[in-house]
Amino acid sequence: MNYFLGIDFGTSGVRAIAINTSNEIAAVFRFEYDIRDCKTWQLALYEVITGLPQEIRQNTRKIVIDGTSATILICDRTGKALSPPMIYSDTCKSEVVDQVKNIAPPKHSVCSATSSFAKLISFLVDAEIRASFTSYARSLYFLHQADWLGYLLHGKLGVSDYHNSLKLGYDPLLLQYPDWLQSWLLNNPAVVLPEVFAPSKTVGKIEETIALKLNLPLDCAIGAGTTDSNAAFLASVGTATPTIGTAVTSLGSTMVLKVLSDRPINDPRYGIYSHRFEHPELGCLWLVGGASNVGCAVLRQFFTDSELQEFSDHIDPHMASSLDYYPLTQIGDRFPINDPHLAPRLEPRPDDPVEFLHGLLESMARIETKGYQLLQELGASPIQQIYTAGGGAKNIVWTKIRDRHLQISMQQSQQTEAAYGAALYAASRTYNPNPNT
């Protein structure tokens, strides 16, 4: 039997899911890593593959990797990272954002302190990286997390997908880098931006040495990647044809909202952007949404997994909490309030941990509701139903609290793991209408 492998690099962990030709899960393997250390990225990639049963590895036909959006790094021509990566939640200095605003058109989505393009500019003003210009002329490769991980398998440096490249400035409507970005490149010849493919389109076969190391077939295809939240969207709706107005909330370390819309909405004031979503029956649609730093990472600051379960069981989800928090692990948020200086609000903190947890869950439900209301106000297609992906989907009490706030039909996700969505990308032509296979 043939298998297809999806690998999800989230904030704190890596998950690999192998599916068969019937889209059924055949194996799952997890491994932890440090998102700020590229060495652990490579270790985790190899570990989650070799952790799968040998029979599955030997019959894997294709692999697709998803990574955290706007987690980026600069590499030399050998693929070696020249500095630690900047991750999705890292914010650039105000002077860097001012530079971006002088390069990009007004109100462009890259004009954000957390955009990939702003992080590229931030890298380029770094003295150590600028010093490397003389040693590596025309060979400073800008890569997203999923790009570099794919390179470790197929060996082709400088390849990306139009999901990851959106926050770099790539135009997903015209499927090209816009004129303003190409003009900027002419003045910065040391920088090499990636060639952009459709998600899951085959980039190449796995390198022979890597195939032998990981016990994969020599003809195993490696597809272009995607972002974790886009993979989570696909995992939630599964193999069924989605309807316009379908929304997915990804409750992982952070909270990401996406609505399948017939029109793109981009507004950097609120951290709202739109990903291209190709479907052979529905045509070119858009995943409109935003990513908040609010999420399960905040809960894990205060509670263990067992405490979350125990205390949640003592919460009445039908009763509103009077506590009003803005739960962040650090200063700054991206959506629905796009403010790199926004301070966490976690006071007053009651002595009763059940009451405190209730306040956190209630507050995050309010922020989620505000996010969806904002998307509707700005013109996204009317929301018909909401699925939930990520670890937070398992908390039944939180789901009931969210249901009370959202008052929109809540649906059971087919799968809550983004790795399953990546595996569907690897297996199916449905979301890759022009596969290079």
Side-chain angles (χ1 to χ4, degrees):
M1 179 174 287
N2 292 329
Y3 298 95
F4 303 89
L5 181 57
I7 304 176
D8 165 50
F9 272 73
T11 301
S12 59
V14 184
R15 300 164 186 84
I17 291 181
I19 62 175
N20 60 24
T21 53
S22 299
N23 297 322
E24 299 166 332
I25 295 178
V28 180
F29 195 81
R30 295 173 172 83
F31 195 80
E32 293 189 356
Y33 81 124
D34 182 353
I35 193 173
R36 294 192 179 276
D37 184 354
C38 293
K39 292 180 181 178
T40 71
W41 297 11
Q42 183 171 15
L43 173 64
L45 176 63
Y46 293 164
E47 286 288 339
V48 294
I49 293 175
T50 56
L52 298 170
Q54 181 171 310
E55 190 270 336
I56 288 178
R57 279 182 283 151
Q58 290 176 337
N59 292 282
T60 296
R61 310 315 310 161
K62 192 169 184 177
I63 300 173
V64 168
I65 301 171
D66 74 71
T68 50
S69 177
T71 294
I72 56 91
L73 67 164
I74 289 278
C75 296
D76 64 18
R77 58 173 170 257
T78 69
K80 178 184 176 182
L82 297 177
S83 68
M86 291 187 72
I87 72 169
Y88 62 91
S89 59
D90 286 339
T91 58
C92 301
K93 297 178 180 178
S94 57
E95 51 265 34
V96 169
V97 178
D98 289 341
Q99 286 190 48
V100 172
K101 291 179 179 178
N102 288 330
I103 299 168
K107 298 183 179 181
H108 195 283
S109 59
V110 300
C111 299
S112 164
T114 58
S115 78
S116 299
F117 186 68
K119 289 168 184 171
L120 170 58
I121 298 299
S122 185
F123 270 124
L124 297 182
V125 300
D126 184 277
E128 292 185 11
I129 294 179
R130 289 199 64 86
S132 68
F133 282 15
T134 56
S135 302
Y136 301 103
R138 191 60 181 170
S139 59
L140 290 177
Y141 287 84
F142 178 88
L143 300 175
H144 306 90
Q145 183 180 34
D147 306 343
W148 190 74
L149 291 163
Y151 156 74
L152 294 178
L153 298 179
H154 56 60
K156 296 183 179 180
L157 196 61
V159 173
S160 189
D161 62 90
Y162 58 60
H163 285 165
N164 275 292
S165 298
L166 178 70
K167 295 179 183 178
L168 177 57
Y170 186 80
D171 189 328
L173 180 62
L174 299 178
L175 296 177
Q176 64 183 33
Y177 287 114
D179 290 343
W180 65 265
L181 187 48
Q182 295 190 46
S183 296
W184 178 84
L185 279 173
L186 291 175
N187 295 319
N188 293 272
V191 178
V192 181
L193 296 187
E195 180 182 4
V196 179
F197 289 78
S200 86
K201 185 172 182 178
T202 297
V203 174
K205 304 299 183 184
I206 191 167
E207 287 198 294
E208 181 176 355
T209 55
I210 303 301
L212 295 173
K213 176 184 178 71
L214 303 179
N215 203 11
L216 292 167
L218 295 177
D219 62 349
C220 178
I222 309 301
T226 181
T227 64
D228 54 350
S229 58
N230 282 319
F233 182 94
L234 188 55
S236 293
V237 300
T239 55
T241 300
T243 58
I244 294 175
T246 295
V248 172
T249 299
S250 297
L251 292 175
S253 295
T254 59
M255 179 170 65
V256 184
L257 313 185
K258 289 190 181 295
V259 179
L260 187 61
S261 178
D262 60 4
R263 64 194 76 100
I265 307 293
N266 296 287
D267 196 325
R269 294 177 302 168
Y270 305 109
I272 295 171
Y273 50 87
S274 299
H275 283 288
R276 187 184 183 106
F277 184 84
E278 293 276 5
H279 194 282
E281 297 176 25
L282 303 175
C284 180
L285 297 176
W286 301 90
L287 289 175
V288 178
S292 172
N293 292 337
V294 165
C296 296
V298 180
L299 300 179
R300 291 197 175 95
Q301 273 194 320
F302 302 104
F303 306 103
T304 64
D305 287 345
S306 60
E307 287 174 335
L308 283 171
Q309 181 64 56
E310 177 188 351
F311 298 152
S312 293
D313 290 342
H314 289 86
I315 293 173
D316 182 352
H318 305 293
M319 295 291 293
S321 170
S322 61
L323 296 169
D324 184 17
Y325 299 140
Y326 204 102
L328 297 168
T329 59
Q330 60 186 20
I331 292 174
D333 201 10
R334 300 170 286 163
F335 167 83
I337 299 175
N338 187 12
D339 180 0
H341 307 295
L342 184 67
R345 189 170 68 249
L346 294 163
E347 298 291 341
R349 180 174 176 179
D351 294 332
D352 182 357
V354 173
E355 187 180 350
F356 181 48
L357 177 59
H358 190 181
L360 292 172
L361 298 179
E362 187 92 24
S363 297
M364 286 192 277
R366 293 190 195 106
I367 293 168
E368 179 186 5
T369 302
K370 180 178 179 180
Y372 278 125
Q373 289 173 344
L374 186 58
L375 295 177
Q376 298 289 268
E377 291 169 6
L378 293 175
S381 293
I383 298 172
Q384 304 299 320
Q385 55 192 351
I386 299 176
Y387 293 84
T388 308
K394 301 173 185 177
N395 190 314
I396 298 173
V397 171
W398 195 2
T399 299
K400 291 179 179 179
I401 293 173
R402 294 170 54 231
D403 187 38
R404 172 163 49 82
H405 280 274
L406 292 165
Q407 297 185 346
I408 299 173
S409 176
M410 302 281 278
Q411 301 295 319
Q412 183 72 36
S413 294
Q414 287 200 20
Q415 295 290 335
T416 61
E417 296 276 12
Y420 181 75
L424 288 180
Y425 264 125
S428 177
R429 291 170 179 259
T430 301
Y431 298 96
N432 182 8
N434 299 296
N436 181 23
T437 57

